[in-house]
Amino acid sequence: MDASPTRALLLAFGHPVVDQYLACRVRAAQIASIARLTPLTVFANVVNVVVVLPVLAQALPFAYVIAWVVAAMSLMALTTIKWFLSSRSPIELASHRALNAAVRHATFLSLLWAVVPVAAFMSGNVNAIWIASCVTTGMICGGGFALATVPQAAFRWVAILYAATVVALVIDQSVMMWPLLVLLTSYTFVVIGSTTAAGWLFASHFLAEAELEKNGDLIALLLNEFEETSSDWIWETSSTGNFRNVSDRFLHASGRTRPELHSMRMVDLAYSLDSEDARAQVAGLEEAISLQKSFREIVIGLTVNGEERWWSIAARPVYDDHGSFTGYRGVASDITEARRAEKLVTHLAEHDSLTGIGNRSWFLNQAEDLLAEQVRCGQNTLTLFLIDLDNFKVVNDTSGHPAGDELLRQVADRFTAISEGRTSLARFGGDEFAALGRFVSDQAASAFAEELVNVARKPFRIGNRDFAIGATVGFTRLRGPDDTVDDLMRNADIALYKAKESGRGRALAFESAMEREVRERRELEADLREAFEFGKLSVEFQPIVNARSGKVISSEVLVRWFHPTRGEVTPDTFLPIAEHAGLILPLGNWVLRKACAAAAQCPDLESVAVNLSAVQFMDPNLVSQITTVLDDTGFPPERLVLEITESVFLRDSGAAPEKLKKLRNLGIKISLDDFGTGYSSLSYLRKYKFDKIKIDKTFVDEIGERSDGLAIISAVIALAHNLGLEVTAEGVERRFQVDALRTLGCDTLQGYFFGKPSANPMHIMQAASEDWDEQEQELVQDGDDDTPKASAAVSAN
């Protein structure tokens, strides 16, 4: 509804700018406002009649005076009667006719009083003139303000009296007409302006009340609709905190009867659920209510018909017109399902989905909290354990991932059984677990670590099979107040690494010496990265000769690293570091490219052998990368020999046969390196297709020292030839070794006896059979008798 000033003014003058009902209410209020002043106006009129009687008696005939008095007193009597009747039954609605009657009443009365100034000025009596002037001025002002709520009546009243006074001034020219006329006019305008403002304020106030009432009805309607359709419920309390005006929906949601709720407070509902979480929330609610302040999103727990429910409540205090607190009014909503979903999400975010124990994120948060507590209390009993399962991959490879998952669940159950009440347990992923607890001594921590190892050593029953795996544990205790969780994790990881390195299936505590070793290893890793990035690595070619002719027919590529301060670092040292640092793939690809590019410039060299680490072989892009290198360098695939060790098959997930087939289909030859040093060499010869095998240096070294050495070599050569494989003996350094191997039928020989490795493959072609005696003598003089063959180019072992 528009409550503009113009609209309110028009309404005050009786114009139909609102609906009929509201207009009737406004008219009734206007009339009632005048009626409330009736006793005062009647009294004032009677007094004025008594005052002006002498004036009228001097100016008018007696009969006229009597008639005037009778008319005035009759009108006062009629006004009094109407006032008395309306006071007994107040008027709530009034028509236009009723308002017009009030205007006519004011008109008649003003006409009666208009006689007074005219008669006084006609008489010429100075005293009569002053009395009439005072009475008329008072009547103009008093009547105008008394009739202000009905502006049209007030205007008529003022206009008639003003006109009568002007006429009187014109009649008596002896009086100072113009000054009196100016004063009268100014007073009249003031009264008219004030009357207009009063009428406008009255109508505006009434319109505002009507607007507020309408909005209140709308709000009530919306609240009713809210109660019926919303998931929230409105609640209200008295100043004592007890519920009042309880809606049916709130009643149903609470699970109580109406009398029960009227005798309860919201705090009482919050105390109905006996749980730690619920109790923690009540304190905030009690504080807000005691301070009589607004609150929102306070979560309380309660029982509804024996079931645990959670509500989110909000409310604001309510005050009466005097500013006194009368209670609270607010809303409540059931968030039980949302809370359950939130707890489920939190549980999933903090727990391992497979085993149900904590995950890495949860574990690290626990570690932070426990570490802070230890530092605060000045204790150092906190101990962190990292656990890796041994031979877990075998279960996945032989029985599938479902069996592996079941194994992990059983392991978690066993670890949980011995950890309960002692440590917090988590699974980091894969077959990695961690535990964290307080142990008063190194012996107690070591005993718990041994329990973990022993419980994992017992067989696990999965389906109809028993699996024996094991566990390796590295652990560390809090060493000082400056230690962080990262320090504990790093130290435990170092201990775990050393435990694996020393044989697995054991528990090992962290020691400072381990950290120094790891630091050196990391420094070496950083240097290796720099050497690889800035081209400080190189490759050399070691000759491989035909055992019969002594002619160099092939070579093995060796990667070299000369450190500026450490000197020459052997491949056995830096290749495992490269594998651990993730450098082995780019390094292996670089070696292959350098070897093929250099060998392509030496057509007399029948082939070149490049070692592949297990990590390289497992790379799914291996075949495509090798093909790219061969295409880029123009090196024929028939001249490339790839040497692999048994470690490749230990890590194989079933893709090795297909990958070997693709490589051999390209024309590339495959050689099994270090034959005889593994556990299943013969089974690999049956399962996979090879072109060559290489007898390990350890067997060659035994020639002339152990009688069974020759027997083993002879058997290997015979086996290989029966399978159609070429045999190469590596690590040849003596003439008698050459003679023995040639006698046994070895096909090719490799070692320092035939010359040192060279960066240029053209240089190794100089070795010839007639120089063998001289080469042996040179080796002896140089003191290279015991110099081992450099490790394969990119072997991880």
Side-chain angles (χ1 to χ4, degrees), residues 111-137:
L111 288 172
L112 285 175
W113 285 107
V115 172
V116 175
V118 174
F121 277 85
M122 287 177 62
S123 68
N125 187 299
V126 176
N127 291 331
I129 290 173
W130 282 110
I131 291 173
S133 298
C134 291
V135 170
T136 303
T137 303

PDB file of all heavy atoms in Angstrom, residues 111-137:
ATOM      1  N   LEU A 111     -21.203  29.698  12.215  1.00  0.00           N
ATOM      2  CA  LEU A 111     -22.100  30.771  11.792  1.00  0.00           C
ATOM      3  C   LEU A 111     -22.676  31.508  12.993  1.00  0.00           C
ATOM      4  O   LEU A 111     -22.853  32.748  12.975  1.00  0.00           O
ATOM      5  CB  LEU A 111     -23.218  30.198  10.910  1.00  0.00           C
ATOM      6  CG  LEU A 111     -22.780  29.749   9.494  1.00  0.00           C
ATOM      7  CD1 LEU A 111     -23.937  29.026   8.798  1.00  0.00           C
ATOM      8  CD2 LEU A 111     -22.347  30.971   8.677  1.00  0.00           C
ATOM      9  N   LEU A 112     -23.032  30.745  14.054  1.00  0.00           N
ATOM     10  CA  LEU A 112     -23.538  31.379  15.272  1.00  0.00           C
ATOM     11  C   LEU A 112     -22.494  32.322  15.862  1.00  0.00           C
ATOM     12  O   LEU A 112     -22.808  33.453  16.262  1.00  0.00           O
ATOM     13  CB  LEU A 112     -23.942  30.319  16.288  1.00  0.00           C
ATOM     14  CG  LEU A 112     -25.267  29.572  16.024  1.00  0.00           C
ATOM     15  CD1 LEU A 112     -25.455  28.465  17.051  1.00  0.00           C
ATOM     16  CD2 LEU A 112     -26.445  30.557  16.083  1.00  0.00           C
ATOM     17  N   TRP A 113     -21.243  31.850  15.924  1.00  0.00           N
ATOM     18  CA  TRP A 113     -20.197  32.689  16.528  1.00  0.00           C
ATOM     19  C   TRP A 113     -19.764  33.821  15.608  1.00  0.00           C
ATOM     20  O   TRP A 113     -19.195  34.829  16.052  1.00  0.00           O
ATOM     21  CB  TRP A 113     -18.977  31.835  16.885  1.00  0.00           C
ATOM     22  CG  TRP A 113     -19.223  31.011  18.112  1.00  0.00           C
ATOM     23  CD1 TRP A 113     -19.431  29.692  18.201  1.00  0.00           C
ATOM     24  CD2 TRP A 113     -19.298  31.518  19.427  1.00  0.00           C
ATOM     25  NE1 TRP A 113     -19.635  29.300  19.501  1.00  0.00           N
ATOM     26  CE2 TRP A 113     -19.558  30.432  20.294  1.00  0.00           C
ATOM     27  CE3 TRP A 113     -19.203  32.789  20.011  1.00  0.00           C
ATOM     28  CZ2 TRP A 113     -19.700  30.564  21.660  1.00  0.00           C
ATOM     29  CZ3 TRP A 113     -19.331  32.910  21.382  1.00  0.00           C
ATOM     30  CH2 TRP A 113     -19.583  31.808  22.194  1.00  0.00           C
ATOM     31  N   ALA A 114     -20.104  33.705  14.300  1.00  0.00           N
ATOM     32  CA  ALA A 114     -19.777  34.810  13.381  1.00  0.00           C
ATOM     33  C   ALA A 114     -20.616  36.058  13.677  1.00  0.00           C
ATOM     34  O   ALA A 114     -20.248  37.190  13.291  1.00  0.00           O
ATOM     35  CB  ALA A 114     -19.994  34.354  11.938  1.00  0.00           C
ATOM     36  N   VAL A 115     -21.739  35.876  14.342  1.00  0.00           N
ATOM     37  CA  VAL A 115     -22.609  37.019  14.685  1.00  0.00           C
ATOM     38  C   VAL A 115     -21.903  37.946  15.677  1.00  0.00           C
ATOM     39  O   VAL A 115     -22.080  39.172  15.648  1.00  0.00           O
ATOM     40  CB  VAL A 115     -23.942  36.492  15.274  1.00  0.00           C
ATOM     41  CG1 VAL A 115     -24.785  37.640  15.822  1.00  0.00           C
ATOM     42  CG2 VAL A 115     -24.689  35.694  14.238  1.00  0.00           C
ATOM     43  N   VAL A 116     -21.083  37.372  16.553  1.00  0.00           N
ATOM     44  CA  VAL A 116     -20.496  38.143  17.661  1.00  0.00           C
ATOM     45  C   VAL A 116     -19.620  39.292  17.156  1.00  0.00           C
ATOM     46  O   VAL A 116     -19.828  40.457  17.564  1.00  0.00           O
ATOM     47  CB  VAL A 116     -19.709  37.199  18.597  1.00  0.00           C
ATOM     48  CG1 VAL A 116     -18.990  38.016  19.682  1.00  0.00           C
ATOM     49  CG2 VAL A 116     -20.644  36.189  19.237  1.00  0.00           C
ATOM     50  N   PRO A 117     -18.628  39.098  16.308  1.00  0.00           N
ATOM     51  CA  PRO A 117     -17.790  40.242  15.890  1.00  0.00           C
ATOM     52  C   PRO A 117     -18.566  41.274  15.083  1.00  0.00           C
ATOM     53  O   PRO A 117     -18.317  42.493  15.213  1.00  0.00           O
ATOM     54  CB  PRO A 117     -16.692  39.572  15.040  1.00  0.00           C
ATOM     55  CG  PRO A 117     -17.266  38.293  14.585  1.00  0.00           C
ATOM     56  CD  PRO A 117     -18.162  37.837  15.702  1.00  0.00           C
ATOM     57  N   VAL A 118     -19.495  40.807  14.251  1.00  0.00           N
ATOM     58  CA  VAL A 118     -20.262  41.757  13.440  1.00  0.00           C
ATOM     59  C   VAL A 118     -21.094  42.655  14.356  1.00  0.00           C
ATOM     60  O   VAL A 118     -21.129  43.892  14.207  1.00  0.00           O
ATOM     61  CB  VAL A 118     -21.154  41.001  12.431  1.00  0.00           C
ATOM     62  CG1 VAL A 118     -22.056  41.982  11.688  1.00  0.00           C
ATOM     63  CG2 VAL A 118     -20.290  40.210  11.462  1.00  0.00           C
ATOM     64  N   ALA A 119     -21.792  42.019  15.325  1.00  0.00           N
ATOM     65  CA  ALA A 119     -22.629  42.794  16.249  1.00  0.00           C
ATOM     66  C   ALA A 119     -21.780  43.744  17.086  1.00  0.00           C
ATOM     67  O   ALA A 119     -22.160  44.910  17.316  1.00  0.00           O
ATOM     68  CB  ALA A 119     -23.417  41.847  17.139  1.00  0.00           C
ATOM     69  N   ALA A 120     -20.636  43.284  17.561  1.00  0.00           N
ATOM     70  CA  ALA A 120     -19.788  44.132  18.416  1.00  0.00           C
ATOM     71  C   ALA A 120     -19.283  45.344  17.655  1.00  0.00           C
ATOM     72  O   ALA A 120     -19.282  46.484  18.162  1.00  0.00           O
ATOM     73  CB  ALA A 120     -18.623  43.310  18.942  1.00  0.00           C
ATOM     74  N   PHE A 121     -18.834  45.151  16.428  1.00  0.00           N
ATOM     75  CA  PHE A 121     -18.297  46.280  15.660  1.00  0.00           C
ATOM     76  C   PHE A 121     -19.413  47.241  15.219  1.00  0.00           C
ATOM     77  O   PHE A 121     -19.194  48.432  15.062  1.00  0.00           O
ATOM     78  CB  PHE A 121     -17.512  45.757  14.445  1.00  0.00           C
ATOM     79  CG  PHE A 121     -16.104  45.378  14.780  1.00  0.00           C
ATOM     80  CD1 PHE A 121     -15.822  44.127  15.279  1.00  0.00           C
ATOM     81  CD2 PHE A 121     -15.077  46.298  14.614  1.00  0.00           C
ATOM     82  CE1 PHE A 121     -14.542  43.770  15.599  1.00  0.00           C
ATOM     83  CE2 PHE A 121     -13.783  45.928  14.941  1.00  0.00           C
ATOM     84  CZ  PHE A 121     -13.500  44.670  15.446  1.00  0.00           C
ATOM     85  N   MET A 122     -20.650  46.702  15.043  1.00  0.00           N
ATOM     86  CA  MET A 122     -21.779  47.568  14.672  1.00  0.00           C
ATOM     87  C   MET A 122     -22.173  48.473  15.840  1.00  0.00           C
ATOM     88  O   MET A 122     -22.640  49.600  15.641  1.00  0.00           O
ATOM     89  CB  MET A 122     -22.981  46.721  14.238  1.00  0.00           C
ATOM     90  CG  MET A 122     -22.799  46.064  12.872  1.00  0.00           C
ATOM     91  SD  MET A 122     -24.218  45.015  12.439  1.00  0.00           S
ATOM     92  CE  MET A 122     -25.538  46.246  12.394  1.00  0.00           C
ATOM     93  N   SER A 123     -21.996  47.961  17.064  1.00  0.00           N
ATOM     94  CA  SER A 123     -22.363  48.753  18.242  1.00  0.00           C
ATOM     95  C   SER A 123     -21.408  49.931  18.449  1.00  0.00           C
ATOM     96  O   SER A 123     -21.778  50.948  19.032  1.00  0.00           O
ATOM     97  CB  SER A 123     -22.378  47.871  19.496  1.00  0.00           C
ATOM     98  OG  SER A 123     -21.055  47.457  19.810  1.00  0.00           O
ATOM     99  N   GLY A 124     -20.229  49.823  18.018  1.00  0.00           N
ATOM    100  CA  GLY A 124     -19.249  50.905  18.167  1.00  0.00           C
ATOM    101  C   GLY A 124     -18.669  50.991  19.558  1.00  0.00           C
ATOM    102  O   GLY A 124     -17.824  51.852  19.822  1.00  0.00           O
ATOM    103  N   ASN A 125     -19.096  50.130  20.476  1.00  0.00           N
ATOM    104  CA  ASN A 125     -18.574  50.132  21.839  1.00  0.00           C
ATOM    105  C   ASN A 125     -17.192  49.499  21.853  1.00  0.00           C
ATOM    106  O   ASN A 125     -17.007  48.351  21.414  1.00  0.00           O
ATOM    107  CB  ASN A 125     -19.534  49.355  22.746  1.00  0.00           C
ATOM    108  CG  ASN A 125     -19.145  49.465  24.210  1.00  0.00           C
ATOM    109  OD1 ASN A 125     -18.069  49.054  24.614  1.00  0.00           O
ATOM    110  ND2 ASN A 125     -20.056  50.016  25.015  1.00  0.00           N
ATOM    111  N   VAL A 126     -16.254  50.281  22.375  1.00  0.00           N
ATOM    112  CA  VAL A 126     -14.857  49.822  22.347  1.00  0.00           C
ATOM    113  C   VAL A 126     -14.673  48.555  23.179  1.00  0.00           C
ATOM    114  O   VAL A 126     -14.005  47.595  22.738  1.00  0.00           O
ATOM    115  CB  VAL A 126     -13.903  50.934  22.817  1.00  0.00           C
ATOM    116  CG1 VAL A 126     -12.476  50.413  22.879  1.00  0.00           C
ATOM    117  CG2 VAL A 126     -14.004  52.135  21.912  1.00  0.00           C
ATOM    118  N   ASN A 127     -15.271  48.536  24.370  1.00  0.00           N
ATOM    119  CA  ASN A 127     -15.123  47.349  25.224  1.00  0.00           C
ATOM    120  C   ASN A 127     -15.719  46.115  24.561  1.00  0.00           C
ATOM    121  O   ASN A 127     -15.152  45.011  24.599  1.00  0.00           O
ATOM    122  CB  ASN A 127     -15.798  47.593  26.574  1.00  0.00           C
ATOM    123  CG  ASN A 127     -15.036  48.644  27.389  1.00  0.00           C
ATOM    124  OD1 ASN A 127     -13.827  48.795  27.240  1.00  0.00           O
ATOM    125  ND2 ASN A 127     -15.755  49.386  28.232  1.00  0.00           N
ATOM    126  N   ALA A 128     -16.893  46.327  23.949  1.00  0.00           N
ATOM    127  CA  ALA A 128     -17.533  45.201  23.270  1.00  0.00           C
ATOM    128  C   ALA A 128     -16.676  44.698  22.104  1.00  0.00           C
ATOM    129  O   ALA A 128     -16.562  43.490  21.847  1.00  0.00           O
ATOM    130  CB  ALA A 128     -18.923  45.613  22.777  1.00  0.00           C
ATOM    131  N   ILE A 129     -16.064  45.680  21.408  1.00  0.00           N
ATOM    132  CA  ILE A 129     -15.217  45.283  20.266  1.00  0.00           C
ATOM    133  C   ILE A 129     -14.027  44.440  20.736  1.00  0.00           C
ATOM    134  O   ILE A 129     -13.696  43.411  20.134  1.00  0.00           O
ATOM    135  CB  ILE A 129     -14.734  46.542  19.506  1.00  0.00           C
ATOM    136  CG1 ILE A 129     -15.912  47.202  18.773  1.00  0.00           C
ATOM    137  CG2 ILE A 129     -13.622  46.200  18.529  1.00  0.00           C
ATOM    138  CD1 ILE A 129     -15.571  48.544  18.129  1.00  0.00           C
ATOM    139  N   TRP A 130     -13.363  44.886  21.819  1.00  0.00           N
ATOM    140  CA  TRP A 130     -12.200  44.107  22.311  1.00  0.00           C
ATOM    141  C   TRP A 130     -12.612  42.752  22.851  1.00  0.00           C
ATOM    142  O   TRP A 130     -11.903  41.754  22.605  1.00  0.00           O
ATOM    143  CB  TRP A 130     -11.487  44.905  23.410  1.00  0.00           C
ATOM    144  CG  TRP A 130     -10.620  45.991  22.830  1.00  0.00           C
ATOM    145  CD1 TRP A 130     -10.815  47.329  22.895  1.00  0.00           C
ATOM    146  CD2 TRP A 130      -9.430  45.782  22.088  1.00  0.00           C
ATOM    147  NE1 TRP A 130      -9.845  48.015  22.241  1.00  0.00           N
ATOM    148  CE2 TRP A 130      -8.943  47.071  21.719  1.00  0.00           C
ATOM    149  CE3 TRP A 130      -8.700  44.673  21.677  1.00  0.00           C
ATOM    150  CZ2 TRP A 130      -7.784  47.259  20.975  1.00  0.00           C
ATOM    151  CZ3 TRP A 130      -7.537  44.868  20.940  1.00  0.00           C
ATOM    152  CH2 TRP A 130      -7.083  46.123  20.583  1.00  0.00           C
ATOM    153  N   ILE A 131     -13.725  42.657  23.527  1.00  0.00           N
ATOM    154  CA  ILE A 131     -14.178  41.361  24.025  1.00  0.00           C
ATOM    155  C   ILE A 131     -14.479  40.438  22.847  1.00  0.00           C
ATOM    156  O   ILE A 131     -14.080  39.272  22.814  1.00  0.00           O
ATOM    157  CB  ILE A 131     -15.410  41.525  24.931  1.00  0.00           C
ATOM    158  CG1 ILE A 131     -15.017  42.229  26.236  1.00  0.00           C
ATOM    159  CG2 ILE A 131     -16.044  40.164  25.227  1.00  0.00           C
ATOM    160  CD1 ILE A 131     -16.204  42.584  27.118  1.00  0.00           C
ATOM    161  N   ALA A 132     -15.182  40.944  21.854  1.00  0.00           N
ATOM    162  CA  ALA A 132     -15.545  40.132  20.689  1.00  0.00           C
ATOM    163  C   ALA A 132     -14.305  39.694  19.927  1.00  0.00           C
ATOM    164  O   ALA A 132     -14.212  38.559  19.428  1.00  0.00           O
ATOM    165  CB  ALA A 132     -16.478  40.916  19.779  1.00  0.00           C
ATOM    166  N   SER A 133     -13.324  40.640  19.826  1.00  0.00           N
ATOM    167  CA  SER A 133     -12.092  40.302  19.106  1.00  0.00           C
ATOM    168  C   SER A 133     -11.347  39.167  19.801  1.00  0.00           C
ATOM    169  O   SER A 133     -10.853  38.221  19.169  1.00  0.00           O
ATOM    170  CB  SER A 133     -11.196  41.541  18.991  1.00  0.00           C
ATOM    171  OG  SER A 133     -11.841  42.555  18.247  1.00  0.00           O
ATOM    172  N   CYS A 134     -11.266  39.257  21.137  1.00  0.00           N
ATOM    173  CA  CYS A 134     -10.553  38.186  21.883  1.00  0.00           C
ATOM    174  C   CYS A 134     -11.269  36.856  21.745  1.00  0.00           C
ATOM    175  O   CYS A 134     -10.643  35.809  21.509  1.00  0.00           O
ATOM    176  CB  CYS A 134     -10.447  38.589  23.354  1.00  0.00           C
ATOM    177  SG  CYS A 134      -9.334  39.986  23.642  1.00  0.00           S
ATOM    178  N   VAL A 135     -12.602  36.878  21.909  1.00  0.00           N
ATOM    179  CA  VAL A 135     -13.363  35.631  21.816  1.00  0.00           C
ATOM    180  C   VAL A 135     -13.235  35.036  20.423  1.00  0.00           C
ATOM    181  O   VAL A 135     -13.025  33.831  20.251  1.00  0.00           O
ATOM    182  CB  VAL A 135     -14.838  35.873  22.195  1.00  0.00           C
ATOM    183  CG1 VAL A 135     -15.678  34.654  21.863  1.00  0.00           C
ATOM    184  CG2 VAL A 135     -14.969  36.229  23.673  1.00  0.00           C
ATOM    185  N   THR A 136     -13.377  35.895  19.401  1.00  0.00           N
ATOM    186  CA  THR A 136     -13.311  35.391  18.018  1.00  0.00           C
ATOM    187  C   THR A 136     -11.941  34.803  17.713  1.00  0.00           C
ATOM    188  O   THR A 136     -11.833  33.737  17.093  1.00  0.00           O
ATOM    189  CB  THR A 136     -13.634  36.512  17.030  1.00  0.00           C
ATOM    190  OG1 THR A 136     -14.928  37.048  17.336  1.00  0.00           O
ATOM    191  CG2 THR A 136     -13.618  36.000  15.604  1.00  0.00           C
ATOM    192  N   THR A 137     -10.876  35.507  18.118  1.00  0.00           N
ATOM    193  CA  THR A 137      -9.511  34.985  17.887  1.00  0.00           C
ATOM    194  C   THR A 137      -9.340  33.632  18.559  1.00  0.00           C
ATOM    195  O   THR A 137      -8.798  32.672  17.999  1.00  0.00           O
ATOM    196  CB  THR A 137      -8.461  35.971  18.401  1.00  0.00           C
ATOM    197  OG1 THR A 137      -8.650  37.236  17.755  1.00  0.00           O
ATOM    198  CG2 THR A 137      -7.061  35.460  18.138  1.00  0.00           C
TER     199      THR A 137
END
